[in-house]
Amino acid sequence: MKWSSFKYLVRQGIHSLGTHSMMTFASIGVLTVCLVLTGIAYLFSVNVDSLIDYLGSQNETVVYLNPDLNEEQTAAVDTAIRSISGVSGVEYVSKEDVLSTYKGYMSEQYADLWDAFDNDNPFKANYRVTVKDLDDIQRISDELSAIEGVDSVSAPLAMSNVFVQVQDVVTFAGYGLVAVLAVVAVVVISNTIRITVFARRREINIMKYVGATNGFIRLPFFVEGMAAGLISAFIASVIVLGGYWVLTYYSDLVPGFWRSLLSESVVPVTDVWYKVVPAFAAFSVLMGGVGSLVSIRKHLDV
């Protein structure tokens, strides 16, 4: 095919968007709605997953040290803890810091008791350890217990197991919903394109009778389908990401505990837009272009 013919057919495909405006509007509308629903389901799943990860990271494992350790032995324990794979944070708390913390919780009537503790501190120095993945907390807890100089380990194993189970359920449900919506989109959009092509079957037959090749007939429909898909992807991206930006912006206005929780766990737009936009574009082009080619196939047999 000559370059001039190719440019002509591409222009014809784009021109057809306006010529058959009702059908084009229907195709773009259906595809946009499906993309918006799929995008909402994806963002919901991503944010719930982030929230569970954040809540899980707040559960610290406390490693109590043997009170008889000297500075050299304590340093060795410190090195051993930090060398364990999967550990994301380590904070040392001396027994003096523990005593000071508890003093702040108690009223002045216990002043004599705390004065006695100043001379004979009963608390133990400890390390506050956080992990990257809650799935590893049991393994890390076992490795911490095995370190020489560690007296005991207090790990939130039960709560961590709950978080892991909730995260698995939400992740499975979220991606399952995205898959279902994608299948629905494929079925609905294919039928819409088929109706569009059927309404133009006479135009296709005329082109066929005057000697146009199948490729010559297909290309404008393919370009039209791709263009409609890209328009749908653009509209859906603006709606989904724009609405999501508004929600994340106004999440700062939520009062109290929820504000701090959302500020730490909500996934920012900058972390998701580069995944959403290409996915929308690829899916839309595939459905629009390939859907047009498949739908037009039987009308070429005249």
Side-chain angles (χ1 to χ4, degrees):
M1 180 183 294
K2 295 182 179 180
W3 175 246
S4 58
S5 299
F6 177 79
K7 290 192 297 182
Y8 168 76
L9 294 176
V10 170
R11 287 196 300 268
Q12 285 297 110
I14 297 175
H15 177 72
S16 294
L17 289 173
T19 304
H20 307 90
S21 56
M22 291 302 295
M23 288 299 181
T24 300
F25 179 79
S27 299
I28 292 176
V30 170
L31 183 53
T32 300
V33 170
C34 291
L35 288 174
V36 168
L37 293 176
T38 303
I40 291 173
Y42 169 73
L43 291 176
F44 177 77
S45 176
V46 166
N47 277 277
V48 171
D49 195 51
S50 175
L51 175 61
I52 296 298
D53 281 340
Y54 171 72
L55 291 175
S57 67
Q58 303 308 299
N59 291 289
E60 294 179 322
T61 296
V62 182
V63 181
Y64 295 100
L65 303 183
N66 190 313
D68 298 327
L69 295 181
N70 56 36
E71 292 186 3
E72 183 179 350
Q73 292 171 323
T74 301
V77 172
D78 185 287
T79 302
I81 292 175
R82 296 179 188 276
S83 66
I84 295 177
S85 64
V87 170
S88 61
V90 179
E91 179 186 2
Y92 176 72
V93 182
S94 67
K95 61 181 183 179
E96 290 77 15
D97 292 335
V98 177
L99 177 61
S100 177
T101 299
Y102 278 106
K103 276 185 178 181
Y105 294 153
M106 307 299 287
S107 61
E108 294 182 358
Q109 63 180 332
Y110 294 98
D112 293 339
L113 175 63
W114 297 120
D115 290 339
F117 282 169
D118 284 335
N119 298 321
D120 185 17
N121 192 334
F123 298 105
K124 297 178 181 178
N126 61 79
Y127 281 92
R128 305 299 176 96
V129 179
T130 55
V131 301
K132 296 178 182 178
D133 191 339
L134 290 178
D135 289 327
D136 294 333
I137 195 167
Q138 180 66 64
R139 172 186 62 81
I140 293 175
S141 178
D142 294 338
E143 292 187 26
L144 290 171
S145 299
I147 296 175
E148 185 176 357
V150 170
D151 185 73
S152 62
V153 174
S154 176
L157 298 178
M159 186 174 294
S160 298
N161 289 335
V162 172
F163 282 143
V164 170
Q165 292 173 5
V166 171
Q167 186 175 32
D168 290 342
V169 169
V170 170
T171 301
F172 177 80
Y175 286 103
L177 181 59
V178 170
V180 170
L181 289 174
V183 172
V184 171
V186 170
V187 174
V188 173
I189 295 165
S190 296
N191 289 334
T192 304
I193 294 174
R194 187 173 288 109
I195 293 172
T196 303
V197 174
F198 180 78
R200 298 166 63 183
R201 65 191 184 282
R202 182 175 297 179
E203 176 185 341
I204 297 172
N205 290 340
I206 292 173
M207 294 175 67
K208 189 70 175 178
Y209 281 129
V210 298
T213 64
N214 290 344
F216 189 91
I217 297 172
R218 284 192 181 105
L219 185 56
F221 284 95
F222 181 68
V223 172
E224 183 180 351
M226 288 181 60
L230 288 175
I231 293 173
S232 301
F234 174 77
I235 296 173
S237 297
V238 171
I239 293 174
V240 172
L241 295 177
Y244 184 64
W245 179 85
V246 171
L247 289 177
T248 56
Y249 178 81
Y250 283 103
S251 66
D252 290 338
L253 302 180
V254 177
F257 166 76
W258 292 105
R259 177 180 180 180
S260 61
L261 181 62
L262 292 175
S263 65
E264 294 291 340
S265 62
V266 170
V267 179
V269 177
T270 53
D271 288 351
V272 294
W273 75 265
Y274 62 88
K275 298 178 182 178
V276 172
V277 174
F280 279 4
F283 181 76
S284 300
V285 168
L286 179 65
M287 288 306 306
V290 177
S292 296
L293 293 181
V294 172
S295 300
I296 198 178
R297 184 175 53 187
K298 71 174 183 178
H299 296 289
L300 295 176
D301 299 327
V302 296

